[in-house]
Amino acid sequence: MTPHNEAKEGDYADIVLLPGDPLRAKWIAENFFEHPKLVNSVRNCLGYTGTWQGIPVSVQATGMGQPSTAIYVHELLNVYKAKTLVRVGTSGGLTTDVKVRDIVLGLSASTDSAINNDTFAPYTYAPFANFELVKAADAFATSQMLECHIGGLVSSDTFYLDDPAKSYETLARHGVLAVEMEAATIYTLAHRFGARALAICTVSDCLITGEEIDPSERESSLDTMVEMALTAATQ
Ligand code: HPA
């Protein structure tokens, strides 16, 4: 048990999917897991464990942003000994090549968060994904003929910026494909605890064109990401 999680040691599987939204965690458990069992409901930040194709798997909501995510992920790694973390989330596309409904596999996650500053000073750490997971997710995308981009994410601390397109322009010119709010701390903590991590993000909106998908499409995009995440994590 922890201050944020009532699960007992052993309640989580080695593989944990990480959506931001608790109701997405519930939806994933109810629609993909065999024998889903609720293991955490503290603050309604729901966590479930079950099996997928007979393999033990869990899902834990992280909430939005790196401070919230870092709490759940640190505890999953430090207390519950998780070994493979796959974020399934949405992102905002930063170039016109990255279209809404496409998937982005985050090779790296730049950030404006100060969360890592003291830890790595005088260096600027570059949080990065696990290569095996990237390869397995990419193979899944190829087999399903999905529009999938592999490149940088930026994990931003701010959703409502005054001029988002302008804020991310320089990053976009340096290989950053999409903005979300959690991957950088997931990657950092996974490396700290010797675990594997990958962020898989559907592009829900484009910061250049203003195009966005509606809530029902967010659900069907989640379906594809969950299949990709479970397939890659269980290779
Ligand atoms: N900013 C941050 N996170 C996001 C966005 C965004 O524009 N779209 C989807 N997740």
Side-chain angles (χ1 to χ4, degrees):
M1 262 176 45
T2 79
H4 320 97
N5 198 320
E6 67 201 333
K8 295 186 294 300
E9 284 172 40
D11 277 354
Y12 285 93
D14 285 358
I15 294 168
V16 187
L17 267 47
L18 300 171
D21 178 355
L23 292 181
R24 287 185 168 208
K26 183 171 189 277
W27 185 87
I28 289 168
E30 288 174 352
N31 287 279
F32 282 86
F33 292 5
E34 300 120 17
H35 318 298
K37 182 182 148 217
L38 181 70
V39 294
N40 184 44
S41 62
V42 175
R43 290 176 184 247
N44 279 328
C45 212
L46 304 176
Y48 294 82
T49 294
T51 58
W52 180 73
Q53 299 185 353
I55 301 166
V57 286
S58 296
V59 59
Q60 172 61 50
T62 62
M64 289 179 281
Q66 294 189 72
S68 173
T69 301
I71 290 171
Y72 294 102
V73 169
H74 179 100
E75 293 175 353
L76 281 169
L77 295 164
N78 189 43
V79 178
Y80 300 104
K81 310 297 179 199
K83 298 287 174 233
T84 298
L85 303 176
V86 186
R87 164 162 156 71
V88 284
T90 54
S91 63
L94 299 179
T95 77
T96 48
D97 289 345
V98 177
K99 309 240 179 333
V100 293
R101 303 176 191 84
D102 289 359
I103 288 175
V104 176
L105 304 181
L107 270 189
S108 65
S110 304
T111 187
D112 59 348
S113 165
I115 207 162
N116 278 345
N117 288 3
D118 289 347
T119 310
F120 296 101
Y123 304 102
T124 302
Y125 178 66
F128 63 100
N130 174 268
F131 186 55
E132 282 173 19
L133 292 176
V134 174
K135 274 196 297 186
D138 180 46
F140 178 87
T142 304
S143 73
Q144 304 293 308
M145 292 187 295
L146 302 173
E147 289 298 331
C148 182
H149 307 264
I150 304 179
L153 291 171
V154 54
S155 301
S156 172
D157 268 356
T158 312
F159 188 89
Y160 293 110
L161 288 163
D162 190 37
D163 188 346
K166 187 153 168 264
S167 303
Y168 299 120
E169 192 188 330
T170 307
L171 287 168
R173 279 194 288 108
H174 290 77
V176 175
L177 304 177
V179 54
E180 51 81 77
M181 302 185 76
E182 292 82 16
T185 196
I186 297 172
Y187 289 176
T188 304
L189 291 171
H191 286 290
R192 184 170 303 160
F193 287 95
R196 312 187 300 168
L198 173 63
I200 302 174
C201 296
T202 299
V203 180
S204 57
D205 52 280
C206 175
L207 276 70
I208 312 298
T209 62
E211 194 186 352
E212 57 184 21
I213 60 176
D214 61 38
S216 66
E217 272 197 80
R218 281 177 190 243
E219 193 155 293
S220 58
S221 73
L222 184 60
D223 211 272
T224 307
M225 278 193 293
V226 173
E227 290 224 20
M228 180 187 261
L230 289 169
T231 305
T234 55
Q235 292 299 294

